């Protein structure tokens, strides 16, 4: 039985990104050994989109109110790089991690798989 999923983000500054996400998400962590913290994520879902080349992976955090979340996180110093846009599937924006990685944030219009 599958119990969950493990997401790996590769970063030029893994320590900074790890601290940033742990502080931002405020979720419990576990020590995988030697102080290597792994943060718990909220419930998740996975989608597979068509592409000309395989291998690209994107991470989106899902929220109930993207405007309120952007306002709160901007106040905490999160650097959003795009304005909120209206898409068929939801309202979306993105921010950068300290190491340069891009993370999306969106308010879904579709039923969420983890709420089924």
């Amino acid at each position: 039985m599958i119990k969950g999923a493990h997401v790996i983000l590769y970063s030029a500054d893994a320590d900074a990104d790890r601290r940033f996400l742990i502080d931002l998400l405020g979720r419990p962590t576990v020590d995988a050994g030697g102080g290597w913290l792994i943060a718990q994520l909220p419930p998740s879902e996975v989608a597979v989109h068509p592409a000309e080349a395989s291998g690209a992976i994107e991470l989106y955090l899902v929220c109930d109110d993207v405007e309120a979340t952007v306002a709160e996180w901007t106040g905490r110093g999160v650097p959003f790089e795009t304005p909120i846009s209206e898409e068929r599937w939801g309202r979306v924006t993105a921010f950068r991690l300290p190491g340069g990685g891009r993370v999306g944030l969106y308010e879904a219009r579709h039923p969420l798989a983890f709420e089924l």
Side-chain angles (χ1 to χ4, degrees), residues 52-70:
E52 291 192 21
S54 295
I57 297 173
E58 297 180 19
L59 173 63
Y60 284 84
L61 300 175
V62 182
C63 63
D64 290 330
D65 183 335
V66 72
E67 287 175 347
T69 304
V70 166

Side-chain angles (χ1 to χ4, degrees), residues 9-12 17 81 95-103:
L9 303 177
Y10 293 93
S11 171
D17 286 353
E81 68 175 20
F95 60 92
R96 289 280 173 188
L97 296 171
R102 183 178 185 275
V103 177

Side-chain angles (χ1 to χ4, degrees), residues 11-98:
S11 171
D13 193 344
D15 290 334
D17 286 353
R18 193 176 302 117
R19 283 190 307 274
F20 178 85
L21 286 171
I22 289 169
D23 291 345
L24 182 68
L25 298 176
R27 306 288 297 188
T29 61
V30 295
D31 188 330
W36 187 282
L37 296 180
I38 297 175
Q40 180 189 74
L41 286 175
S44 303
E45 60 188 17
V46 63
V48 179
H49 292 238
E52 291 192 21
S54 295
I57 297 173
E58 297 180 19
L59 173 63
Y60 284 84
L61 300 175
V62 182
C63 63
D64 290 330
D65 183 335
V66 72
E67 287 175 347
T69 304
V70 166
E72 176 190 341
W73 289 4
T74 297
R76 293 171 61 187
V78 175
F80 283 88
E81 68 175 20
T82 61
I84 297 168
S85 66
E86 300 289 333
E87 304 297 334
R88 178 186 51 78
W89 45 272
R91 303 178 71 221
V92 65
T93 186
F95 60 92
R96 289 280 173 188
L97 296 171

